Amino acid sequence: MTELRTLKVALLGCGNVGSQVARILLEDAGMLADRAGARLELSGIAVRNIDAPRDVELPHELFTTDAETLVKGADLVIELMGGIEPARSLILTAMRNGACVVTGNKALVALDGPTLHEEADGAGVQLSYEAAVAGAIPILRPIRDSLSGDRITRVLGIVNGTTNFILDQMDSTGAQFADALAEAQRLGYAEADPTADVEGHDAASKAAILASLSFHTRFALEDVYCEGISSVSAADIAAAKDAGFVIKLLAIAEKLEDAGAAGTAGVSVRVHPTLLPREHPMAAVRGAFNAVFIEAENAGELMFYGQGAGGAPTASAVMGDLVSAARSIVLDCPGRTETTTGQVPALPIGAAMTSYYIGLDVADQPGVLARIAQLFAEHGVSIEIMRQTIHRDAGSKVESAELRIVTHRAREAALAATVEAVKGLDVINSVTSVLRVEGV
Ligand code: NAP
């Protein structure tokens, strides 16, 4: 039997995810050697404070604060420190020294993916980041490899567990946003500063990564239109529920054939609260779970579901990348990590195709519905559903009328212009909600 070679693995960071990766590397060394075709030896763990308490008991001599030296002696580097620097410089140093890199750092990949990929391609090493999108869910490899012989047309992702938990709480208990956020913080699903999650920035990083791999074009964070969930009210949730919808924060990447300049194809990449029919498969994604729904020309509809965060689940995705990178070293075949020959431009939000749900408080006068319908028609927006509810006082006098409209798919710019025009009608008391709708 031939002796397996040994590959040195440097781990940068030993927090929630890093500590679980270290545990698996030490506990499952035999299994990993079988799968990788090489022994994966944990050569060291770089942290800020070598005496800090850890979630997992690990040999003290593995810890160092000298990440640079650790990286230079490694065949494989796992970056789980987070943040931009020094993570970025250490990854570049690792690749220049011939090491394959695995990272879970979505912020860095979304911000500076092109530089990292160029360096990886130039050095002939693998750069992989399955853990950066939707934690444990294998989604980037299926998009990059399994669907490489197909054409993806649309991706819908629930890729932030914190916001899904908050929206699910609001939906199931009727809570206001602030109360649902406080509950998420109490249970450890939301950070003390929840901005990156609730304002959609974390989901936007993941949307850029999903769009880049799905449409073979490098999309940057600034290509992603982003709206968070902090302005979603209990009244929005209740109205959505009443109309048969659930509100989810979706990351959407969609190819539109005649939406770019001069009628060329483009990709709309966006993150915003979205109404989904309650019977849509993504509507069943509850609590802090994640899911990604893909539509492809030949495969049709696919859905991937699982835990989007957490130490051990995320470590599972990291280990998959690590074994794959180790195999590439053993076989001396780094392979192509991604292709960027698609060259489709990112579209502005106004070019997106979507449906709108519009809630209106209107005067109860004859002809109101006709005037509103006429305005929609003038803007080229067709109405799919229009429902009126009359509110009466104790003496059965009409107090106001509530109108709920769901449109057919139309250009976002036309829908936004329609809403603006509706606001100008003298029969409108107020526009109570405007939300985008998918899956109808
Ligand atoms: P974490 O718990 O905050 O751990 C970060 C670790 O990195 C700590 O051990 C810290 O050292 C070390 N570190 C930070 N800055 C350093 C520096 N300048 N030099 C040396 N070491 C440094 O983070 P995490 O939750 O495990 O997340 C790690 C990465 O995975 C992030 O990019 C995150 O976005 C990504 N990710 C996390 C999850 C999740 O569920 N947590 C899911 C998907 C992706 P000390 O311990 O000494 O402070």
Side-chain angles (χ1 to χ4, degrees), residues 394-421:
S396 265
K397 269 179 62 190
V398 172
E399 284 193 323
S400 66
E402 192 185 340
L403 208 57
R404 293 179 188 164
I405 297 168
V406 178
T407 72
H408 282 288
R409 256 163 85 87
R411 288 259 179 259
E412 165 94 18
L415 289 163
T418 312
V419 172
E420 277 314 302

mmCIF file with all atom_site columns, all heavy atoms in Angstrom, residues 394-421:
data_model
loop_
_atom_site.group_PDB
_atom_site.id
_atom_site.type_symbol
_atom_site.label_atom_id
_atom_site.label_alt_id
_atom_site.label_comp_id
_atom_site.label_asym_id
_atom_site.label_entity_id
_atom_site.label_seq_id
_atom_site.pdbx_PDB_ins_code
_atom_site.Cartn_x
_atom_site.Cartn_y
_atom_site.Cartn_z
_atom_site.occupancy
_atom_site.B_iso_or_equiv
_atom_site.pdbx_formal_charge
_atom_site.auth_seq_id
_atom_site.auth_comp_id
_atom_site.auth_asym_id
_atom_site.auth_atom_id
_atom_site.pdbx_PDB_model_num
ATOM 1   N N   . ALA A 1 394 ? -69.749 52.065 14.199  1.00 0.00 ? 394 ALA A N   1
ATOM 2   C CA  . ALA A 1 394 ? -70.804 51.334 14.924  1.00 0.00 ? 394 ALA A CA  1
ATOM 3   C C   . ALA A 1 394 ? -72.179 51.588 14.332  1.00 0.00 ? 394 ALA A C   1
ATOM 4   O O   . ALA A 1 394 ? -73.042 50.715 14.316  1.00 0.00 ? 394 ALA A O   1
ATOM 5   C CB  . ALA A 1 394 ? -70.775 51.719 16.396  1.00 0.00 ? 394 ALA A CB  1
ATOM 6   N N   . GLY A 1 395 ? -72.385 52.795 13.816  1.00 0.00 ? 395 GLY A N   1
ATOM 7   C CA  . GLY A 1 395 ? -73.683 53.122 13.228  1.00 0.00 ? 395 GLY A CA  1
ATOM 8   C C   . GLY A 1 395 ? -73.803 52.693 11.784  1.00 0.00 ? 395 GLY A C   1
ATOM 9   O O   . GLY A 1 395 ? -74.673 53.169 11.068  1.00 0.00 ? 395 GLY A O   1
ATOM 10  N N   . SER A 1 396 ? -72.857 51.809 11.331  1.00 0.00 ? 396 SER A N   1
ATOM 11  C CA  . SER A 1 396 ? -72.854 51.259 9.972   1.00 0.00 ? 396 SER A CA  1
ATOM 12  C C   . SER A 1 396 ? -72.615 52.296 8.884   1.00 0.00 ? 396 SER A C   1
ATOM 13  O O   . SER A 1 396 ? -72.936 52.088 7.726   1.00 0.00 ? 396 SER A O   1
ATOM 14  C CB  . SER A 1 396 ? -74.176 50.529 9.680   1.00 0.00 ? 396 SER A CB  1
ATOM 15  O OG  . SER A 1 396 ? -74.010 49.188 9.939   1.00 0.00 ? 396 SER A OG  1
ATOM 16  N N   . LYS A 1 397 ? -72.024 53.448 9.285   1.00 0.00 ? 397 LYS A N   1
ATOM 17  C CA  . LYS A 1 397 ? -71.658 54.434 8.265   1.00 0.00 ? 397 LYS A CA  1
ATOM 18  C C   . LYS A 1 397 ? -70.278 54.073 7.723   1.00 0.00 ? 397 LYS A C   1
ATOM 19  O O   . LYS A 1 397 ? -69.398 53.654 8.479   1.00 0.00 ? 397 LYS A O   1
ATOM 20  C CB  . LYS A 1 397 ? -71.608 55.842 8.893   1.00 0.00 ? 397 LYS A CB  1
ATOM 21  C CG  . LYS A 1 397 ? -72.965 56.552 8.786   1.00 0.00 ? 397 LYS A CG  1
ATOM 22  C CD  . LYS A 1 397 ? -72.951 57.920 9.415   1.00 0.00 ? 397 LYS A CD  1
ATOM 23  C CE  . LYS A 1 397 ? -71.962 58.849 8.729   1.00 0.00 ? 397 LYS A CE  1
ATOM 24  N NZ  . LYS A 1 397 ? -71.791 60.093 9.491   1.00 0.00 ? 397 LYS A NZ  1
ATOM 25  N N   . VAL A 1 398 ? -70.094 54.243 6.444   1.00 0.00 ? 398 VAL A N   1
ATOM 26  C CA  . VAL A 1 398 ? -68.795 53.915 5.858   1.00 0.00 ? 398 VAL A CA  1
ATOM 27  C C   . VAL A 1 398 ? -67.748 54.902 6.356   1.00 0.00 ? 398 VAL A C   1
ATOM 28  O O   . VAL A 1 398 ? -67.941 56.117 6.287   1.00 0.00 ? 398 VAL A O   1
ATOM 29  C CB  . VAL A 1 398 ? -68.866 53.976 4.312   1.00 0.00 ? 398 VAL A CB  1
ATOM 30  C CG1 . VAL A 1 398 ? -67.474 53.834 3.717   1.00 0.00 ? 398 VAL A CG1 1
ATOM 31  C CG2 . VAL A 1 398 ? -69.786 52.896 3.798   1.00 0.00 ? 398 VAL A CG2 1
ATOM 32  N N   . GLU A 1 399 ? -66.631 54.391 6.953   1.00 0.00 ? 399 GLU A N   1
ATOM 33  C CA  . GLU A 1 399 ? -65.546 55.259 7.416   1.00 0.00 ? 399 GLU A CA  1
ATOM 34  C C   . GLU A 1 399 ? -64.494 55.415 6.335   1.00 0.00 ? 399 GLU A C   1
ATOM 35  O O   . GLU A 1 399 ? -64.021 56.503 6.058   1.00 0.00 ? 399 GLU A O   1
ATOM 36  C CB  . GLU A 1 399 ? -64.911 54.673 8.675   1.00 0.00 ? 399 GLU A CB  1
ATOM 37  C CG  . GLU A 1 399 ? -65.794 54.904 9.892   1.00 0.00 ? 399 GLU A CG  1
ATOM 38  C CD  . GLU A 1 399 ? -65.068 54.611 11.184  1.00 0.00 ? 399 GLU A CD  1
ATOM 39  O OE1 . GLU A 1 399 ? -64.258 53.662 11.208  1.00 0.00 ? 399 GLU A OE1 1
ATOM 40  O OE2 . GLU A 1 399 ? -65.309 55.334 12.166  1.00 0.00 ? 399 GLU A OE2 1
ATOM 41  N N   . SER A 1 400 ? -64.103 54.284 5.773   1.00 0.00 ? 400 SER A N   1
ATOM 42  C CA  . SER A 1 400 ? -63.113 54.337 4.680   1.00 0.00 ? 400 SER A CA  1
ATOM 43  C C   . SER A 1 400 ? -63.165 53.023 3.924   1.00 0.00 ? 400 SER A C   1
ATOM 44  O O   . SER A 1 400 ? -63.806 52.071 4.353   1.00 0.00 ? 400 SER A O   1
ATOM 45  C CB  . SER A 1 400 ? -61.710 54.557 5.248   1.00 0.00 ? 400 SER A CB  1
ATOM 46  O OG  . SER A 1 400 ? -61.349 53.429 6.006   1.00 0.00 ? 400 SER A OG  1
ATOM 47  N N   . ALA A 1 401 ? -62.464 52.991 2.831   1.00 0.00 ? 401 ALA A N   1
ATOM 48  C CA  . ALA A 1 401 ? -62.383 51.745 2.063   1.00 0.00 ? 401 ALA A CA  1
ATOM 49  C C   . ALA A 1 401 ? -60.909 51.426 1.866   1.00 0.00 ? 401 ALA A C   1
ATOM 50  O O   . ALA A 1 401 ? -60.089 52.320 1.662   1.00 0.00 ? 401 ALA A O   1
ATOM 51  C CB  . ALA A 1 401 ? -63.074 51.919 0.723   1.00 0.00 ? 401 ALA A CB  1
ATOM 52  N N   . GLU A 1 402 ? -60.632 50.150 1.980   1.00 0.00 ? 402 GLU A N   1
ATOM 53  C CA  . GLU A 1 402 ? -59.247 49.707 1.811   1.00 0.00 ? 402 GLU A CA  1
ATOM 54  C C   . GLU A 1 402 ? -59.180 48.918 0.511   1.00 0.00 ? 402 GLU A C   1
ATOM 55  O O   . GLU A 1 402 ? -60.014 48.039 0.274   1.00 0.00 ? 402 GLU A O   1
ATOM 56  C CB  . GLU A 1 402 ? -58.908 48.814 2.996   1.00 0.00 ? 402 GLU A CB  1
ATOM 57  C CG  . GLU A 1 402 ? -57.461 48.494 3.129   1.00 0.00 ? 402 GLU A CG  1
ATOM 58  C CD  . GLU A 1 402 ? -57.248 47.504 4.271   1.00 0.00 ? 402 GLU A CD  1
ATOM 59  O OE1 . GLU A 1 402 ? -58.115 47.359 5.156   1.00 0.00 ? 402 GLU A OE1 1
ATOM 60  O OE2 . GLU A 1 402 ? -56.211 46.840 4.224   1.00 0.00 ? 402 GLU A OE2 1
ATOM 61  N N   . LEU A 1 403 ? -58.184 49.274 -0.290  1.00 0.00 ? 403 LEU A N   1
ATOM 62  C CA  . LEU A 1 403 ? -58.059 48.626 -1.589  1.00 0.00 ? 403 LEU A CA  1
ATOM 63  C C   . LEU A 1 403 ? -56.733 47.879 -1.644  1.00 0.00 ? 403 LEU A C   1
ATOM 64  O O   . LEU A 1 403 ? -55.707 48.444 -1.257  1.00 0.00 ? 403 LEU A O   1
ATOM 65  C CB  . LEU A 1 403 ? -58.077 49.727 -2.660  1.00 0.00 ? 403 LEU A CB  1
ATOM 66  C CG  . LEU A 1 403 ? -58.605 49.359 -4.027  1.00 0.00 ? 403 LEU A CG  1
ATOM 67  C CD1 . LEU A 1 403 ? -60.017 48.821 -3.928  1.00 0.00 ? 403 LEU A CD1 1
ATOM 68  C CD2 . LEU A 1 403 ? -58.594 50.625 -4.905  1.00 0.00 ? 403 LEU A CD2 1
ATOM 69  N N   . ARG A 1 404 ? -56.767 46.630 -2.065  1.00 0.00 ? 404 ARG A N   1
ATOM 70  C CA  . ARG A 1 404 ? -55.529 45.861 -2.209  1.00 0.00 ? 404 ARG A CA  1
ATOM 71  C C   . ARG A 1 404 ? -55.394 45.418 -3.657  1.00 0.00 ? 404 ARG A C   1
ATOM 72  O O   . ARG A 1 404 ? -56.303 44.782 -4.200  1.00 0.00 ? 404 ARG A O   1
ATOM 73  C CB  . ARG A 1 404 ? -55.552 44.639 -1.304  1.00 0.00 ? 404 ARG A CB  1
ATOM 74  C CG  . ARG A 1 404 ? -55.508 45.039 0.145   1.00 0.00 ? 404 ARG A CG  1
ATOM 75  C CD  . ARG A 1 404 ? -55.560 43.832 1.019   1.00 0.00 ? 404 ARG A CD  1
ATOM 76  N NE  . ARG A 1 404 ? -55.703 44.259 2.392   1.00 0.00 ? 404 ARG A NE  1
ATOM 77  C CZ  . ARG A 1 404 ? -56.089 43.464 3.370   1.00 0.00 ? 404 ARG A CZ  1
ATOM 78  N NH1 . ARG A 1 404 ? -56.386 42.210 3.107   1.00 0.00 ? 404 ARG A NH1 1
ATOM 79  N NH2 . ARG A 1 404 ? -56.173 43.909 4.587   1.00 0.00 ? 404 ARG A NH2 1
ATOM 80  N N   . ILE A 1 405 ? -54.252 45.777 -4.229  1.00 0.00 ? 405 ILE A N   1
ATOM 81  C CA  . ILE A 1 405 ? -54.040 45.497 -5.652  1.00 0.00 ? 405 ILE A CA  1
ATOM 82  C C   . ILE A 1 405 ? -52.789 44.659 -5.813  1.00 0.00 ? 405 ILE A C   1
ATOM 83  O O   . ILE A 1 405 ? -51.749 44.946 -5.208  1.00 0.00 ? 405 ILE A O   1
ATOM 84  C CB  . ILE A 1 405 ? -53.868 46.829 -6.430  1.00 0.00 ? 405 ILE A CB  1
ATOM 85  C CG1 . ILE A 1 405 ? -55.150 47.657 -6.339  1.00 0.00 ? 405 ILE A CG1 1
ATOM 86  C CG2 . ILE A 1 405 ? -53.474 46.576 -7.878  1.00 0.00 ? 405 ILE A CG2 1
ATOM 87  C CD1 . ILE A 1 405 ? -54.993 49.088 -6.827  1.00 0.00 ? 405 ILE A CD1 1
ATOM 88  N N   . VAL A 1 406 ? -52.884 43.601 -6.618  1.00 0.00 ? 406 VAL A N   1
ATOM 89  C CA  . VAL A 1 406 ? -51.679 42.862 -7.024  1.00 0.00 ? 406 VAL A CA  1
ATOM 90  C C   . VAL A 1 406 ? -51.587 42.998 -8.538  1.00 0.00 ? 406 VAL A C   1
ATOM 91  O O   . VAL A 1 406 ? -52.571 42.739 -9.247  1.00 0.00 ? 406 VAL A O   1
ATOM 92  C CB  . VAL A 1 406 ? -51.737 41.367 -6.618  1.00 0.00 ? 406 VAL A CB  1
ATOM 93  C CG1 . VAL A 1 406 ? -50.489 40.632 -7.098  1.00 0.00 ? 406 VAL A CG1 1
ATOM 94  C CG2 . VAL A 1 406 ? -51.884 41.225 -5.105  1.00 0.00 ? 406 VAL A CG2 1
ATOM 95  N N   . THR A 1 407 ? -50.419 43.438 -9.011  1.00 0.00 ? 407 THR A N   1
ATOM 96  C CA  . THR A 1 407 ? -50.268 43.656 -10.455 1.00 0.00 ? 407 THR A CA  1
ATOM 97  C C   . THR A 1 407 ? -49.675 42.413 -11.124 1.00 0.00 ? 407 THR A C   1
ATOM 98  O O   . THR A 1 407 ? -49.120 41.542 -10.455 1.00 0.00 ? 407 THR A O   1
ATOM 99  C CB  . THR A 1 407 ? -49.310 44.831 -10.739 1.00 0.00 ? 407 THR A CB  1
ATOM 100 O OG1 . THR A 1 407 ? -47.981 44.410 -10.424 1.00 0.00 ? 407 THR A OG1 1
ATOM 101 C CG2 . THR A 1 407 ? -49.675 46.064 -9.949  1.00 0.00 ? 407 THR A CG2 1
ATOM 102 N N   . HIS A 1 408 ? -49.775 42.371 -12.437 1.00 0.00 ? 408 HIS A N   1
ATOM 103 C CA  . HIS A 1 408 ? -48.988 41.403 -13.206 1.00 0.00 ? 408 HIS A CA  1
ATOM 104 C C   . HIS A 1 408 ? -47.545 41.884 -13.239 1.00 0.00 ? 408 HIS A C   1
ATOM 105 O O   . HIS A 1 408 ? -47.253 43.026 -12.869 1.00 0.00 ? 408 HIS A O   1
ATOM 106 C CB  . HIS A 1 408 ? -49.534 41.305 -14.638 1.00 0.00 ? 408 HIS A CB  1
ATOM 107 C CG  . HIS A 1 408 ? -50.789 40.482 -14.723 1.00 0.00 ? 408 HIS A CG  1
ATOM 108 N ND1 . HIS A 1 408 ? -50.790 39.113 -14.588 1.00 0.00 ? 408 HIS A ND1 1
ATOM 109 C CD2 . HIS A 1 408 ? -52.071 40.850 -14.920 1.00 0.00 ? 408 HIS A CD2 1
ATOM 110 C CE1 . HIS A 1 408 ? -52.021 38.665 -14.689 1.00 0.00 ? 408 HIS A CE1 1
ATOM 111 N NE2 . HIS A 1 408 ? -52.830 39.701 -14.889 1.00 0.00 ? 408 HIS A NE2 1
ATOM 112 N N   . ARG A 1 409 ? -46.632 41.030 -13.708 1.00 0.00 ? 409 ARG A N   1
ATOM 113 C CA  . ARG A 1 409 ? -45.230 41.438 -13.809 1.00 0.00 ? 409 ARG A CA  1
ATOM 114 C C   . ARG A 1 409 ? -45.096 42.600 -14.784 1.00 0.00 ? 409 ARG A C   1
ATOM 115 O O   . ARG A 1 409 ? -45.684 42.598 -15.867 1.00 0.00 ? 409 ARG A O   1
ATOM 116 C CB  . ARG A 1 409 ? -44.380 40.256 -14.302 1.00 0.00 ? 409 ARG A CB  1
ATOM 117 C CG  . ARG A 1 409 ? -43.564 39.585 -13.211 1.00 0.00 ? 409 ARG A CG  1
ATOM 118 C CD  . ARG A 1 409 ? -43.093 38.232 -13.658 1.00 0.00 ? 409 ARG A CD  1
ATOM 119 N NE  . ARG A 1 409 ? -41.852 38.287 -14.431 1.00 0.00 ? 409 ARG A NE  1
ATOM 120 C CZ  . ARG A 1 409 ? -40.643 38.275 -13.898 1.00 0.00 ? 409 ARG A CZ  1
ATOM 121 N NH1 . ARG A 1 409 ? -40.486 38.251 -12.583 1.00 0.00 ? 409 ARG A NH1 1
ATOM 122 N NH2 . ARG A 1 409 ? -39.573 38.273 -14.662 1.00 0.00 ? 409 ARG A NH2 1
ATOM 123 N N   . ALA A 1 410 ? -44.314 43.599 -14.366 1.00 0.00 ? 410 ALA A N   1
ATOM 124 C CA  . ALA A 1 410 ? -44.067 44.776 -15.205 1.00 0.00 ? 410 ALA A CA  1
ATOM 125 C C   . ALA A 1 410 ? -42.704 45.326 -14.826 1.00 0.00 ? 410 ALA A C   1
ATOM 126 O O   . ALA A 1 410 ? -42.105 44.903 -13.830 1.00 0.00 ? 410 ALA A O   1
ATOM 127 C CB  . ALA A 1 410 ? -45.147 45.822 -14.974 1.00 0.00 ? 410 ALA A CB  1
ATOM 128 N N   . ARG A 1 411 ? -42.180 46.268 -15.618 1.00 0.00 ? 411 ARG A N   1
ATOM 129 C CA  . ARG A 1 411 ? -40.914 46.910 -15.257 1.00 0.00 ? 411 ARG A CA  1
ATOM 130 C C   . ARG A 1 411 ? -41.094 47.696 -13.967 1.00 0.00 ? 411 ARG A C   1
ATOM 131 O O   . ARG A 1 411 ? -42.094 48.408 -13.799 1.00 0.00 ? 411 ARG A O   1
ATOM 132 C CB  . ARG A 1 411 ? -40.473 47.882 -16.347 1.00 0.00 ? 411 ARG A CB  1
ATOM 133 C CG  . ARG A 1 411 ? -40.002 47.204 -17.576 1.00 0.00 ? 411 ARG A CG  1
ATOM 134 C CD  . ARG A 1 411 ? -38.493 47.138 -17.722 1.00 0.00 ? 411 ARG A CD  1
ATOM 135 N NE  . ARG A 1 411 ? -38.225 46.416 -18.956 1.00 0.00 ? 411 ARG A NE  1
ATOM 136 C CZ  . ARG A 1 411 ? -37.861 45.138 -19.042 1.00 0.00 ? 411 ARG A CZ  1
ATOM 137 N NH1 . ARG A 1 411 ? -37.625 44.435 -17.957 1.00 0.00 ? 411 ARG A NH1 1
ATOM 138 N NH2 . ARG A 1 411 ? -37.686 44.573 -20.202 1.00 0.00 ? 411 ARG A NH2 1
ATOM 139 N N   . GLU A 1 412 ? -40.102 47.571 -13.096 1.00 0.00 ? 412 GLU A N   1
ATOM 140 C CA  . GLU A 1 412 ? -40.118 48.288 -11.813 1.00 0.00 ? 412 GLU A CA  1
ATOM 141 C C   . GLU A 1 412 ? -40.341 49.791 -12.034 1.00 0.00 ? 412 GLU A C   1
ATOM 142 O O   . GLU A 1 412 ? -41.096 50.431 -11.298 1.00 0.00 ? 412 GLU A O   1
ATOM 143 C CB  . GLU A 1 412 ? -38.783 48.029 -11.100 1.00 0.00 ? 412 GLU A CB  1
ATOM 144 C CG  . GLU A 1 412 ? -38.475 48.951 -9.960  1.00 0.00 ? 412 GLU A CG  1
ATOM 145 C CD  . GLU A 1 412 ? -38.885 48.458 -8.589  1.00 0.00 ? 412 GLU A CD  1
ATOM 146 O OE1 . GLU A 1 412 ? -39.128 47.243 -8.421  1.00 0.00 ? 412 GLU A OE1 1
ATOM 147 O OE2 . GLU A 1 412 ? -38.967 49.306 -7.687  1.00 0.00 ? 412 GLU A OE2 1
ATOM 148 N N   . ALA A 1 413 ? -39.706 50.366 -13.063 1.00 0.00 ? 413 ALA A N   1
ATOM 149 C CA  . ALA A 1 413 ? -39.827 51.812 -13.284 1.00 0.00 ? 413 ALA A CA  1
ATOM 150 C C   . ALA A 1 413 ? -41.285 52.182 -13.561 1.00 0.00 ? 413 ALA A C   1
ATOM 151 O O   . ALA A 1 413 ? -41.782 53.198 -13.056 1.00 0.00 ? 413 ALA A O   1
ATOM 152 C CB  . ALA A 1 413 ? -38.937 52.242 -14.450 1.00 0.00 ? 413 ALA A CB  1
ATOM 153 N N   . ALA A 1 414 ? -41.998 51.341 -14.333 1.00 0.00 ? 414 ALA A N   1
ATOM 154 C CA  . ALA A 1 414 ? -43.402 51.624 -14.642 1.00 0.00 ? 414 ALA A CA  1
ATOM 155 C C   . ALA A 1 414 ? -44.261 51.477 -13.386 1.00 0.00 ? 414 ALA A C   1
ATOM 156 O O   . ALA A 1 414 ? -45.184 52.279 -13.149 1.00 0.00 ? 414 ALA A O   1
ATOM 157 C CB  . ALA A 1 414 ? -43.895 50.675 -15.735 1.00 0.00 ? 414 ALA A CB  1
ATOM 158 N N   . LEU A 1 415 ? -43.936 50.468 -12.571 1.00 0.00 ? 415 LEU A N   1
ATOM 159 C CA  . LEU A 1 415 ? -44.700 50.260 -11.341 1.00 0.00 ? 415 LEU A CA  1
ATOM 160 C C   . LEU A 1 415 ? -44.507 51.428 -10.385 1.00 0.00 ? 415 LEU A C   1
ATOM 161 O O   . LEU A 1 415 ? -45.460 51.947 -9.801  1.00 0.00 ? 415 LEU A O   1
ATOM 162 C CB  . LEU A 1 415 ? -44.235 48.955 -10.671 1.00 0.00 ? 415 LEU A CB  1
ATOM 163 C CG  . LEU A 1 415 ? -44.656 47.678 -11.399 1.00 0.00 ? 415 LEU A CG  1
ATOM 164 C CD1 . LEU A 1 415 ? -43.832 46.489 -10.938 1.00 0.00 ? 415 LEU A CD1 1
ATOM 165 C CD2 . LEU A 1 415 ? -46.135 47.388 -11.151 1.00 0.00 ? 415 LEU A CD2 1
ATOM 166 N N   . ALA A 1 416 ? -43.238 51.873 -10.238 1.00 0.00 ? 416 ALA A N   1
ATOM 167 C CA  . ALA A 1 416 ? -42.949 52.987 -9.325  1.00 0.00 ? 416 ALA A CA  1
ATOM 168 C C   . ALA A 1 416 ? -43.654 54.257 -9.799  1.00 0.00 ? 416 ALA A C   1
ATOM 169 O O   . ALA A 1 416 ? -44.219 55.008 -8.989  1.00 0.00 ? 416 ALA A O   1
ATOM 170 C CB  . ALA A 1 416 ? -41.443 53.197 -9.228  1.00 0.00 ? 416 ALA A CB  1
ATOM 171 N N   . ALA A 1 417 ? -43.656 54.477 -11.119 1.00 0.00 ? 417 ALA A N   1
ATOM 172 C CA  . ALA A 1 417 ? -44.323 55.672 -11.655 1.00 0.00 ? 417 ALA A CA  1
ATOM 173 C C   . ALA A 1 417 ? -45.830 55.588 -11.418 1.00 0.00 ? 417 ALA A C   1
ATOM 174 O O   . ALA A 1 417 ? -46.491 56.590 -11.125 1.00 0.00 ? 417 ALA A O   1
ATOM 175 C CB  . ALA A 1 417 ? -44.027 55.803 -13.152 1.00 0.00 ? 417 ALA A CB  1
ATOM 176 N N   . THR A 1 418 ? -46.399 54.381 -11.515 1.00 0.00 ? 418 THR A N   1
ATOM 177 C CA  . THR A 1 418 ? -47.830 54.204 -11.276 1.00 0.00 ? 418 THR A CA  1
ATOM 178 C C   . THR A 1 418 ? -48.171 54.563 -9.829  1.00 0.00 ? 418 THR A C   1
ATOM 179 O O   . THR A 1 418 ? -49.154 55.272 -9.573  1.00 0.00 ? 418 THR A O   1
ATOM 180 C CB  . THR A 1 418 ? -48.245 52.732 -11.550 1.00 0.00 ? 418 THR A CB  1
ATOM 181 O OG1 . THR A 1 418 ? -47.714 52.340 -12.803 1.00 0.00 ? 418 THR A OG1 1
ATOM 182 C CG2 . THR A 1 418 ? -49.744 52.560 -11.534 1.00 0.00 ? 418 THR A CG2 1
ATOM 183 N N   . VAL A 1 419 ? -47.354 54.067 -8.899  1.00 0.00 ? 419 VAL A N   1
ATOM 184 C CA  . VAL A 1 419 ? -47.616 54.354 -7.481  1.00 0.00 ? 419 VAL A CA  1
ATOM 185 C C   . VAL A 1 419 ? -47.561 55.859 -7.234  1.00 0.00 ? 419 VAL A C   1
ATOM 186 O O   . VAL A 1 419 ? -48.410 56.424 -6.538  1.00 0.00 ? 419 VAL A O   1
ATOM 187 C CB  . VAL A 1 419 ? -46.614 53.600 -6.571  1.00 0.00 ? 419 VAL A CB  1
ATOM 188 C CG1 . VAL A 1 419 ? -46.755 54.044 -5.116  1.00 0.00 ? 419 VAL A CG1 1
ATOM 189 C CG2 . VAL A 1 419 ? -46.835 52.098 -6.685  1.00 0.00 ? 419 VAL A CG2 1
ATOM 190 N N   . GLU A 1 420 ? -46.558 56.535 -7.825  1.00 0.00 ? 420 GLU A N   1
ATOM 191 C CA  . GLU A 1 420 ? -46.445 57.989 -7.655  1.00 0.00 ? 420 GLU A CA  1
ATOM 192 C C   . GLU A 1 420 ? -47.696 58.693 -8.179  1.00 0.00 ? 420 GLU A C   1
ATOM 193 O O   . GLU A 1 420 ? -48.235 59.602 -7.547  1.00 0.00 ? 420 GLU A O   1
ATOM 194 C CB  . GLU A 1 420 ? -45.216 58.520 -8.408  1.00 0.00 ? 420 GLU A CB  1
ATOM 195 C CG  . GLU A 1 420 ? -43.907 58.399 -7.651  1.00 0.00 ? 420 GLU A CG  1
ATOM 196 C CD  . GLU A 1 420 ? -44.015 58.862 -6.204  1.00 0.00 ? 420 GLU A CD  1
ATOM 197 O OE1 . GLU A 1 420 ? -44.389 60.023 -5.966  1.00 0.00 ? 420 GLU A OE1 1
ATOM 198 O OE2 . GLU A 1 420 ? -43.756 58.045 -5.297  1.00 0.00 ? 420 GLU A OE2 1
ATOM 199 N N   . ALA A 1 421 ? -48.172 58.237 -9.343  1.00 0.00 ? 421 ALA A N   1
ATOM 200 C CA  . ALA A 1 421 ? -49.360 58.859 -9.928  1.00 0.00 ? 421 ALA A CA  1
ATOM 201 C C   . ALA A 1 421 ? -50.587 58.601 -9.058  1.00 0.00 ? 421 ALA A C   1
ATOM 202 O O   . ALA A 1 421 ? -51.423 59.502 -8.861  1.00 0.00 ? 421 ALA A O   1
ATOM 203 C CB  . ALA A 1 421 ? -49.571 58.313 -11.339 1.00 0.00 ? 421 ALA A CB  1
#
